[in-house]
């Protein structure tokens, strides 16, 4: 069934015990635990799971850990007599790996299902598959205060929907938008001051993350001290004992600064006022750096309702929303579920290891909301890269990874560290990477990381620590800090480390520098796609995949040429700017997988030098480790590369302005055009010599050559002419001669231009006695004669020489004789001897 009931109605603490008692009445052992009478309650958060279990145990008058218990990651309080077990979503998913059919379980209750975490969606889909295919008697209950129940009920086989009005106390909603450009901590501090003045109850403030909690805490510290009010933090990075202190009522008034861990299933005792910043940090998969990253976003309407409900759990209250009523109307109804916005590799691995691996694959599973195919494919690629899955399915390494309560990357690090004899160091690193940053907990970090497996930056300057063995590694800094206990987070992290060590069952371990090196080797196996190579001596580098990165100035990785990027900030979503590496760890080249290192010679065309060059490069995956120039030894490949480059820039590669080539191309183009206009026989056999035709010749021209300079030395006109057959060549020479002999004996080149008759440019003295205008194209086209003065400039242009001599020459003679008196200007040009060179004469 699907149960809808408002915040504070008792869903979490009353429904599971009722199911437990109903199951005990039906049990053949009368509640002795021999039947399917265990109830599992699934909570989205560890704090909620522990708090709910403690509350249920107290209401039933039993000791926590006996009949009622809980299990969260790295923390369990339950035993053989536990019949109501409160777990987090991930714990249930891992349990179903070894107990695929939930043999002793009679009911599974999914509390606060509206949060739609990936593990929650996965666990529900897995339990529903068991119910539908193996155990129809298994009961499933989904509960929420804000969930739209109809789609879920339909997916659950038209399950009944139960609505409960509950006993929620009235909550007054006020909207108090901040002043423009006012810092969040200032806005919150003003709202808290007003709330403390108006009401005597405790105040719960919802903030997006630890960074904002710390900033607001600093602003409130002194005023709260003067007013006798205690200020508590409440977030997921706190040890359990500190979380418990924050939710318990105290002797004095309290201000609790919380993330959304307090949004549901948790009653913070004494709270009558909620101040809601309207912000939260959510995980989204960033394909640019292939990891989940935290984004600060405006919350959805259902989250705002959940937060407001915290003020009406035990008495009438009020909620002060730090946004306008107009903005409230624009809020989306629900947050996008994680199954559509985060890395799915943990889910894909969990399904691959479920039972014998044949229950359902991630693509075949009947999800409540199906993930995008591309996201599933990316997850499969990551698991293949880590060695967890192969074409045949999950590998033995993958099964070992799935058995560990951490993400795939951290699991790979743990197993590789154990194999290398550094299980303790690997377990410490896993606790740091998957739980919390000791430097941040010590107040030295630079802010939240990018999700599980990230770790924050810190290290350079006053925070800089010398890692064991002198390695540059932000991770080793933190492991050392954890081992020395110099962090507020150390106790809980050490508990996590010890639990991981028990799961690893490592018999022996290295120490000192050997352990540090083994750990750093293991890090590479977990992040093979995050290896980066520094560009020069600065803070910039390039990562596998080609992404540019910049190392934070607070990182301990200062000089190492190769390093692993553990925590990246890719900037705003969709940008391709350099990613900021907050946390990194040095890598030695010999640690890289030899199977993924390739040395090869590549040819390239150097645009600046206009020639083909060869370089030998060694690459890890697609990351260039080193490169150097070598001799070009592949003639065929070099010729192809040169031809491709020449085709892109034909006019730069060939001497297309060579006079012989220009003339040849123009003559052929002229005859082909005449053929199209007047059907000139034989012209159709002449080759086209446009740019496309020249490009087609490049493979032949480039044979044995390496540069444009080599190409430009090719006598291209001769090469082309030699390819024209005898008949076509004869037709070309007669119908479009390159030169024409004039009366002076000179052979003068004709200039052919597209769409115009050819031009014969000659000095007037060379043409004396030439009566008829020369003609081309089998006599069809008269040339255009440019009659040049002694200075080489056209004095007259004509295509009718006879007319020029008879009518115009006399006037031209007068002018030119005056300007050039030493040149021959006979009165009778018809019979005057033509002169190749000017014969200067004295004036008479």
């Amino acid at each position: 069934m699907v149960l809808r009931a408002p915040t504070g109605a008792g869903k979490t603490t009353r429904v599971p015990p009722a199911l437990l008692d109903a199951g005990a009445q039906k049990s053949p052992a009368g509640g002795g635990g021999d039947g399917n009478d265990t109830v599992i309650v699934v909570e989205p958060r560890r704090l909620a799971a522990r708090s709910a279990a403690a509350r249920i145990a107290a209401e039933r008058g039993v000791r926590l850990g006996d009949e009622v218990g809980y299990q969260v990651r790295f923390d369990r309080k339950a035993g053989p007599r536990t019949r109501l077990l409160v777990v987090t979503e991930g714990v249930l998913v891992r349990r179903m790996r070894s107990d695929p059919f939930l043999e002793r379980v009679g009911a599974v209750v999914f509390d606060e299902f509206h949060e739609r975490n990936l593990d929650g969606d996965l666990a529900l889909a897995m339990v529903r598959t068991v119910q539908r295919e193996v155990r129809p008697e298994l009961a499933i209950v989904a509960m929420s205060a804000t969930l739209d129940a109809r789609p879920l009920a339909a997916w659950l086989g038209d399950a009944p929907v139960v609505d409960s009005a509950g006993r929620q106390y009235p909550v007054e909603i006020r909207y108090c938008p901040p002043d423009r450009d006012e810092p969040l901590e200032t806005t919150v501090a003003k709202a808290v001051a007003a709330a403390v003045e108006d009401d005597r109850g405790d105040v719960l403030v919802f903030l997006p993350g630890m960074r904002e909690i710390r900033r607001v805490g600093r602003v409130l510290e002194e005023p709260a001290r003067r007013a006798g009010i205690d200020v508590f933090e409440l977030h997921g990075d706190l040890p359990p004992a500190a979380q418990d202190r924050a939710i318990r009522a105290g002797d004095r008034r309290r201000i609790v600064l919380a993330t959304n861990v307090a949004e549901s299933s948790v009653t913070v005792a004494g709270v009558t006022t909620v101040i809601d910043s309207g912000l939260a940090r959510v995980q989204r998969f960033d394909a640019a750096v292939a990891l989940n990253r935290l984004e600060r976003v405006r919350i959805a309407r259902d989250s705002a309702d959940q937060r407001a409900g915290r003020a009406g759990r035990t008495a009438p209250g009020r909620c002060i929303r730090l946004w306008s009523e107009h903005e409230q109307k624009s809020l989306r109804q629900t947050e996008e579920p994680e199954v559509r916005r985060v890395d799915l590799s943990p889910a894909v691995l969990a399904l691959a290891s479920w039972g014998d691996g044949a229950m359902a694959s991630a693509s075949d599973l009947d999800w409540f909301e199906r993930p995008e195919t591309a996201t599933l494919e990316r997850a499969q690629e990551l698991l293949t890269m880590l060695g967890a899955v192969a074409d045949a399915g999950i590998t033995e390494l993958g099964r070992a990874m799935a058995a560990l309560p951490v993400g795939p990357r951290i699991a790979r690090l743990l197993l590789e560290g154990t194999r290398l004899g550094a299980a303790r160091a690997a377990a410490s690193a896993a606790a740091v990477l998957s739980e919390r940053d000791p430097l941040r907990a010590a107040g030295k970090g630079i802010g939240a990381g990018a999700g599980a497996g990230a770790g924050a930056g810190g290290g350079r300057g006053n925070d800089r620590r010398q890692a064991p063995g002198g390695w540059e590694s932000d991770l080793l800094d933190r492991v050392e800090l954890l081992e020395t206990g110099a962090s507020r987070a150390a106790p809980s992290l050490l508990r996590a480390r010890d639990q991981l060590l028990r799961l690893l069952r490592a018999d022996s371990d290295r120490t000192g520098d050997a352990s540090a090196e083994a750990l750093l080797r293991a890090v590479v196996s977990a992040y093979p796609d995050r290896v980066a190579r520094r560009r020069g001596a600065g803070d910039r580098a390039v990562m596998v995949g080609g992404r540019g990165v910049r190392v934070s100035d607070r990182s301990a990785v200062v000089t190492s040429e190769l390093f692993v990027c553990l925590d990246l900030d890719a900037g705003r979503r969709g940008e391709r700017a350099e990613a900021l590496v907050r946390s990194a760890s040095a890598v030695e080249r010999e640690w890289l997988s030899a199977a993924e290192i390739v040395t090869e010679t590549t040819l390239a065309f150097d645009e600046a030098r206009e020639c083909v060059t060869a370089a030998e490069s060694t690459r890890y995956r697609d990351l260039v480790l080193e490169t150097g120039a070598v001799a070009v030894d592949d003639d065929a490949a070099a010729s192809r590369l040169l031809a491709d480059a020449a085709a892109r820039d034909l006019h730069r590669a060939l001497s297309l302005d060579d006079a012989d080539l220009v003339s040849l191309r123009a003559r052929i183009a002229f005859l082909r055009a005449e053929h199209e206009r007047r059907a000139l026989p034989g012209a159709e056999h002449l080759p086209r010599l446009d740019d496309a035709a020249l490009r087609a010749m490049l493979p032949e021209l480039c044979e044995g050559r390496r540069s444009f300079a080599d190409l430009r030395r090719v006598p291209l006109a001769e090469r082309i002419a030699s390819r024209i057959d005898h008949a076509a060549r004869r037709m070309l020479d007669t119908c479009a001669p390159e030169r024409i002999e004039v009366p002076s004996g000179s052979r003068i080149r004709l200039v052919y231009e597209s769409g115009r008759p050819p031009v014969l440019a000659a000095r007037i003295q060379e043409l004396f006695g030439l009566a008829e205008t020369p003609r081309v194209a089998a006599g069809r086209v008269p040339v255009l004669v440019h009659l040049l003065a002694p200075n080489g400039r056209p004095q007259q242009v004509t295509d009718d020489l006879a007319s020029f001599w008879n009518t115009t020459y006399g006037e031209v003679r007068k002018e030119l004789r005056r300007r050039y008196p030493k040149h021959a200007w006979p009165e009778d040009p018809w019979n005057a001897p033509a002169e190749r060179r000017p014969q200067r004469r004295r004036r008479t």
Side-chain angles (χ1 to χ4, degrees):
M1 73 172 183
V2 178
L3 172 62
R4 287 188 302 198
T7 302
K11 300 184 298 297
T12 304
T13 58
R14 299 302 170 86
V15 172
L19 291 171
L20 179 66
D21 293 339
Q25 294 171 11
K26 297 178 181 179
S27 171
D34 294 331
N36 295 332
D37 57 355
T38 300
V39 174
I40 292 180
V41 183
V42 185
E43 292 288 346
R45 305 176 192 277
R46 285 179 280 183
L47 172 60
R50 292 188 300 100
S51 175
R55 179 72 175 178
I56 293 171
E59 290 187 351
R60 292 178 71 83
V62 298
R63 188 169 66 91
L64 183 62
D66 286 341
E67 180 191 50
V68 179
Y70 69 84
Q71 182 177 353
V72 300
R73 186 166 67 168
F74 305 135
D75 188 11
R76 172 183 170 88
K77 186 166 286 190
R81 293 186 293 177
T82 299
R83 294 172 50 238
L84 194 157
L85 182 66
V86 187
V87 302
T88 48
E89 300 156 334
V91 168
L92 177 58
V93 170
R94 286 189 292 277
R95 171 172 177 156
M96 294 185 72
R97 177 180 177 273
S98 57
D99 182 14
F101 303 141
L102 298 175
E103 299 285 358
R104 304 271 310 253
V105 177
V108 181
V109 180
F110 291 86
D111 194 19
E112 307 295 356
F113 186 70
H114 66 274
E115 294 206 13
R116 300 298 308 282
N117 297 319
L118 173 60
D119 280 339
D121 273 28
L122 176 61
L124 179 61
M126 294 170 72
V127 173
R128 173 63 174 151
T129 299
V130 171
Q131 182 198 58
R132 189 176 57 247
E133 299 183 5
V134 183
R135 294 191 52 209
E137 78 282 4
L138 179 63
I140 299 175
V141 179
M143 306 192 303
S144 173
T146 56
L147 179 70
D148 182 0
R150 292 167 297 175
L152 180 59
W155 179 78
L156 286 170
D158 294 324
V161 176
V162 177
D163 286 296
S164 169
R167 295 183 181 178
Q168 174 76 16
Y169 289 95
V171 176
E172 176 192 2
I173 304 295
R174 298 181 186 176
Y175 293 93
C176 297
D179 294 336
R180 186 175 181 179
D181 299 327
E182 184 176 65
L184 177 62
E185 55 267 31
T186 303
T187 304
V188 171
K190 292 195 306 189
V192 169
V196 168
E197 183 71 24
D198 293 346
D199 185 74
R200 299 305 302 169
D202 292 345
V203 178
L204 174 62
V205 182
F206 281 101
L207 294 162
M210 281 181 54
R211 185 180 308 171
E212 292 81 4
I213 286 176
R214 296 278 167 81
R215 288 175 178 171
V216 172
R218 286 193 291 269
V219 174
L220 295 179
E221 182 178 12
E222 182 57 28
R225 186 190 63 78
R226 290 197 304 266
I229 299 175
D230 294 328
V231 178
F232 289 92
E233 296 182 1
L234 181 57
H235 50 78
D237 278 355
L238 285 176
Q243 291 178 339
D244 292 342
R245 285 194 299 271
I247 64 176
R248 286 197 304 263
D251 297 332
R252 304 199 307 173
R253 291 186 70 186
R254 299 178 308 144
I255 301 169
V256 180
L257 308 177
T259 63
N260 54 7
V261 299
E263 195 171 289
S264 55
S265 296
V266 174
T267 297
V268 182
V271 169
T272 56
T273 298
V274 165
I275 296 174
D276 188 358
S277 69
L279 301 170
R281 280 196 170 85
V282 300
Q283 287 195 82
R284 293 190 186 277
F285 183 77
D286 189 337
V289 289
L291 80 161
N292 290 334
R293 59 192 296 270
L294 289 175
E295 289 186 350
R296 195 169 93 165
V297 300
R298 175 71 69 180
I299 61 173
R301 196 173 302 171
D302 60 351
S303 292
D305 292 343
Q306 288 280 354
R307 293 180 175 189
R310 302 299 101 187
R313 297 296 293 265
T314 58
R318 59 182 173 168
C319 175
I320 301 172
R321 291 174 171 170
L322 302 182
W323 63 90
S324 68
E325 197 165 0
H326 174 73
E327 289 175 297
Q328 171 69 17
K329 295 176 182 178
S330 67
L331 295 181
R332 61 191 180 283
Q333 183 58 44
T334 60
E335 179 59 62
E336 184 181 24
E338 279 193 349
V339 74
R340 294 190 176 275
R341 56 179 169 85
V342 302
D343 171 31
L344 299 182
S345 60
V348 174
L349 182 60
L351 287 170
S353 65
W354 185 17
D356 59 2
M359 289 295 293
S361 68
S363 57
D364 296 334
L365 186 68
D366 181 19
W367 297 84
F368 173 47
E369 285 192 38
R370 183 175 178 78
E372 296 290 338
T373 300
T375 311
L376 288 173
E377 290 174 350
R378 282 195 296 265
Q380 189 77 19
E381 290 170 1
L382 172 60
L383 294 174
T384 302
M385 179 184 68
L386 295 176
V389 298
D391 292 341
I394 191 169
T395 64
E396 287 303 313
L397 174 61
R399 289 196 179 279
M401 290 167 60
L404 296 171
V406 290
R409 289 189 188 270
I410 307 304
R412 184 72 173 89
L413 184 153
L414 281 166
L415 294 174
E416 184 67 11
T418 301
R419 187 186 71 81
L420 295 173
R424 181 185 178 90
S428 295
V432 167
L433 291 170
S434 60
E435 288 293 294
R436 61 184 64 88
D437 179 7
L439 279 181
R440 187 175 65 200
K444 299 180 180 180
I446 65 171
R460 218 175 280 184
N462 294 333
D463 296 338
R464 177 84 182 274
R465 301 172 59 85
Q466 182 65 45
W471 300 107
E472 291 184 344
S473 172
D474 297 317
L475 180 59
L476 281 180
D477 285 352
R478 287 152 176 74
V479 169
E480 184 186 21
L481 189 66
L482 174 62
E483 295 290 346
T484 59
S487 167
R488 289 183 293 174
S492 60
L493 291 179
L494 291 173
R495 283 195 300 271
R497 180 205 63 190
D498 293 342
Q499 289 198 20
L500 287 172
L501 277 174
R502 286 193 291 271
L503 291 171
L504 293 171
R505 299 187 179 92
D507 296 328
S508 61
D509 210 356
R510 298 182 182 185
T511 59
D513 293 350
S515 176
E517 180 177 342
L519 172 59
L520 297 189
R521 286 177 177 268
V523 168
V524 179
S525 72
Y527 298 90
D529 55 335
R530 303 271 191 85
V531 176
R533 180 171 179 254
R534 195 180 299 271
R535 292 169 169 165
D539 58 359
R540 282 172 166 76
V542 62
M543 192 171 64
V544 168
R547 181 67 185 258
V549 299
R550 180 172 57 83
V551 182
S552 167
D553 59 5
R554 302 186 67 183
S555 171
V557 180
V558 181
T559 62
S560 297
E561 180 186 18
L562 296 175
F563 54 88
V564 168
C565 306
L566 295 175
D567 176 16
L568 296 94
D569 181 359
R572 294 182 181 177
R573 192 171 180 82
E575 290 183 351
R576 276 298 289 179
E578 290 178 324
L580 177 66
V581 182
R582 292 195 183 103
S583 178
S585 188
V587 174
E588 294 294 317
R589 180 168 165 175
E590 58 267 24
W591 301 349
L592 302 176
S593 170
E596 295 188 277
I597 295 179
V598 177
T599 298
E600 63 181 8
T601 300
T602 56
L603 300 182
F605 185 80
D606 188 322
E607 294 288 347
R609 296 165 56 192
E610 296 185 341
C611 65
V612 176
T613 60
E616 185 178 82
S617 62
T618 300
R619 291 181 291 105
Y620 167 71
R621 298 168 71 88
D622 65 352
L623 179 66
V624 176
L625 300 179
E626 60 184 10
T627 185
V630 295
V632 177
D633 59 1
D634 188 338
D635 291 342
S639 297
R640 289 193 298 270
L641 200 59
L642 180 61
D644 291 342
R648 292 193 298 269
D649 199 345
L650 196 66
H651 292 258
R652 181 181 169 199
L654 301 175
S655 296
L656 298 184
D657 56 354
D658 174 73
D660 291 339
L661 179 61
V662 171
S663 175
L664 179 62
R665 296 179 75 187
R667 290 161 62 203
I668 291 176
F670 167 71
L671 290 181
R672 292 186 66 91
E674 283 300 311
H675 174 67
E676 291 176 2
R677 286 196 295 267
R678 311 185 212 189
L680 183 63
E684 68 273 14
H685 300 302
L686 292 169
R688 292 185 181 275
L689 287 183
D690 55 12
D691 286 359
L694 293 178
R695 287 190 178 92
M697 294 178 61
L698 286 172
E700 173 190 339
L701 297 175
C702 291
E703 287 182 6
R705 294 179 170 83
R706 298 284 184 272
S707 67
F708 283 177
D710 292 340
L711 281 178
R712 288 192 287 263
R713 285 192 288 268
V714 174
L716 196 52
E718 293 180 16
R719 295 286 292 269
I720 294 172
S722 68
R723 297 163 62 123
I724 303 174
D725 63 44
H726 179 71
R729 178 64 181 270
R730 184 175 179 182
M731 188 266 184
L732 175 64
D733 289 342
T734 56
C735 292
E738 182 180 6
R739 296 175 181 272
I740 289 181
E741 186 173 349
V742 296
S744 67
S746 298
R747 293 182 54 81
I748 299 178
R749 187 189 298 272
L750 292 178
V751 177
Y752 293 83
E753 294 184 5
S754 176
R756 298 180 181 180
V759 172
L760 174 67
R763 287 184 304 106
I764 295 175
Q765 286 86 351
E766 293 208 63
L767 300 181
F768 291 157
L770 182 60
E772 295 294 331
T773 303
R775 305 179 76 84
V776 295
R780 301 182 184 191
V781 179
V783 303
L784 191 63
V785 182
H786 286 203
L787 297 152
L788 306 180
N791 64 359
R793 295 179 180 177
Q795 189 68 27
Q796 192 73 25
V797 176
T798 182
D799 61 0
D800 186 352
L801 269 177
S803 176
F804 170 74
W805 297 130
N806 289 329
T807 62
T808 310
Y809 173 72
E811 294 299 323
V812 170
R813 174 178 178 270
K814 290 180 183 179
E815 180 183 350
L816 294 180
R817 185 181 181 191
R818 178 179 55 81
R819 290 167 55 192
Y820 304 100
K822 295 182 180 181
H823 290 256
W825 302 107
E827 293 185 2
D828 181 8
W830 294 98
N831 298 305
E835 298 179 352
R836 177 178 296 182
R837 292 182 178 84
Q839 301 296 321
R840 297 194 177 189
R841 290 162 174 77
R842 294 179 181 179
R843 182 178 297 179
T844 59

